[in-house]
Amino acid sequence: MDFSNIGNLIAGVGSILVNMANVFAQVESVALSFAILAGCVCFYKSILLGFSDNSTVQERRQALWLAIAGILLVQITVLFSVILDTISNGEESVDGGEVLRLSEAAQSTDDPMKAGILACLSFLACVGWITGIRGLLAWSSMGTDAGRGQFWAGACGILFGALMVVPIWTLNALTSQYGSQFTAMFGM
C-alpha cells in the first residue's frame, strides 16, 4: 500500500469539513431565528385559545403549554444558558454563537485533523440547537390529547440539546467523570 498521499487526503477532507462548518454556522442562525418565530406563533395562539369566550378547560390547558413553549422558544439561549450553568456549577453558558466560534476555530487552525474535529463538533452544536427547539415544540402540544406523552420526550430533547450545544465542555465533563476509560472507548 502506498501511504505517500495520505497527508493530502487528510488535508482535503479537513478542508471539506471546514467548509461544511461554515454552513453549520448559518444553520445555527436560521434555527435560532426559527425558534423566535415559532415562539411568537405559539404565544399568539395561546392568547387566542385562552382568552376566547367559549374556551373549554382542555383549550385553556393547551393555551398554557403553548404559552410556556412560546416563551421558552423566544428565550432559548437563556434557557440553555441556565441549564448549563446549573449542570456545570457556573463554568459554562451559551449565547447563540457556539457553532460560529467552532467553525472560526476550524478555519484558523493549520492542522487539518484538528480542523476536521472542530468542524464535527460544530455539527454537534448545530444539532443541539435543533434538538432543543424540537423538544420545546413537543412541549407546545402537551395540552392536546395527542401530546399527552410528550413531556419527557420534550424534556430529554431540551437537556440533550443543551449538552450538545457545548460539545467540548460535555466531552471534558465525561472524561473527568469516567477518566481514561471513557476516552479509551473512542481510541483517544
Side-chain angles (χ1 to χ4, degrees):
M1 296 182 105
D2 182 25
F3 292 110
S4 61
N5 291 328
I6 196 78
N8 292 336
L9 177 68
I10 290 174
V13 169
S15 67
I16 290 171
L17 289 175
V18 168
N19 289 336
M20 289 174 60
N22 293 334
V23 173
F24 297 146
Q26 301 304 318
V27 170
E28 176 190 40
S29 176
V30 169
L32 292 177
S33 299
F34 172 77
I36 292 171
L37 180 64
C40 291
V41 169
C42 286
F43 194 73
Y44 178 71
K45 186 176 177 185
S46 75
I47 290 173
L48 291 179
L49 280 174
F51 292 113
S52 65
D53 291 335
N54 53 358
S55 62
T56 63
V57 173
Q58 183 174 357
E59 287 174 339
R60 288 186 183 149
R61 187 179 327 132
Q62 183 181 5
L64 174 68
W65 280 106
L66 280 168
I68 290 170
I71 291 168
L72 291 177
L73 276 167
V74 170
Q75 296 292 325
I76 191 165
T77 56
V78 175
L79 173 68
F80 278 17
S81 186
V82 167
I83 290 171
L84 289 169
D85 189 44
T86 303
I87 293 173
S88 68
N89 288 332
E91 293 177 18
E92 194 64 47
S93 65
V94 297
D95 61 1
E98 285 69 30
V99 177
L100 181 61
R101 280 191 288 280
L102 286 169
S103 65
E104 286 174 353
Q107 287 175 357
S108 65
T109 186
D110 293 333
D111 183 12
M113 186 66 76
K114 185 177 179 182
I117 290 171
L118 287 170
C120 291
L121 292 177
S122 71
F123 172 73
L124 282 178
C126 187
V127 169
W129 285 116
I130 294 169
T131 303
I133 292 168
R134 186 244 171 248
L136 286 169
L137 288 175
W139 273 8
S140 71
S141 68
M142 282 287 298
T144 63
D145 288 332
R148 290 257 165 121
Q150 294 295 316
F151 180 80
W152 290 112
C156 288
I158 294 166
L159 178 63
F160 291 132
L163 290 175
M164 287 173 61
V165 165
V166 285
I168 294 174
W169 178 85
T170 304
L171 289 174
N172 285 338
L174 288 172
T175 303
S176 68
Q177 179 67 29
Y178 297 110
S180 62
Q181 299 157 349
F182 176 76
T183 56
M185 288 190 296
F186 297 105
M188 299 196 287

